[in-house]
Amino acid sequence: MTPPTAAPAKVDPKVLLISFLAAPILMGIMFLNPSWEPLHSLTQSPGWIPVGRVIGSAVVLFMLWSSWRYEHHVKPRTADMLRQKGMNPEQIGFLITTAECTSGTVVGMILYMLGASITEFWCFASISIVAILFWAWHYRTFLLQTPTP
């Protein structure tokens, strides 16, 4: 006898979109607070920051590429299988692509916490915001057709 499985949680994709877009903005506002003391001096950056920028940029580019790869190579092959399981491939695609695009915010936050400037955080966060807005535009028909609970 198989154990009963829980039904997947129904989350409004518009709420996810707003939270994915609000996260980098709220983090940036928090970092601008003068009482926030990151792990570095505000006057001097550590010497490894250029290497961190390159590694962070590579991670962000890989995540942006993987979003594109999912949309153009994986989703077309798995759409029928997802529909047979009762899942919406558009919902899964929206979640995967926008969630992967938030990696820029995470990379920027980690670099800032370890000594980079707030400008570097905003550069990585702005890449995330633009990428999330791109995928939101790509999935606009799905977002507009989804009823709000």
Side-chain angles (χ1 to χ4, degrees):
M1 186 158 100
T2 60
T5 58
K10 300 286 183 186
V11 178
D12 186 12
K14 295 174 194 96
V15 172
L16 287 175
L17 177 63
I18 291 168
S19 63
F20 285 148
L21 287 172
I25 295 168
L26 292 176
M27 274 196 259
I29 291 169
M30 180 184 75
F31 291 155
L32 289 175
N33 185 354
S35 65
W36 175 256
E37 290 292 333
L39 301 175
H40 64 83
S41 165
L42 296 176
T43 58
Q44 183 177 356
S45 251
W48 58 268
I49 288 296
V51 175
R53 279 186 211 126
V54 170
I55 293 171
S57 298
V59 167
V60 171
L61 285 174
F62 174 76
M63 294 306 284
L64 294 176
W65 172 80
S66 64
S67 296
W68 178 84
R69 186 179 186 287
Y70 174 81
E71 181 63 29
H72 295 285
H73 294 287
V74 177
K75 188 175 128 186
R77 287 186 271 155
T78 60
D80 292 333
M81 180 185 68
L82 289 171
R83 283 189 195 96
Q84 289 173 353
K85 291 184 176 184
M87 301 168 134
N88 184 352
E90 295 296 310
Q91 182 179 13
I92 302 294
F94 172 73
L95 179 62
I96 287 174
T97 54
T98 53
E100 285 179 343
C101 290
T102 60
S103 64
T105 302
V106 175
V107 167
M109 180 190 68
I110 291 170
L111 287 176
Y112 177 71
M113 296 288 290
L114 296 177
S117 70
I118 190 70
T119 306
E120 290 163 339
F121 166 78
W122 278 113
C123 288
F124 282 107
S126 63
I127 291 169
S128 286
I129 291 169
V130 168
I132 291 168
L133 288 173
F134 169 78
W135 287 113
W137 178 257
H138 180 77
Y139 284 104
R140 68 189 177 277
T141 55
F142 164 71
L143 289 170
L144 295 174
Q145 292 174 354
T146 304
T148 304

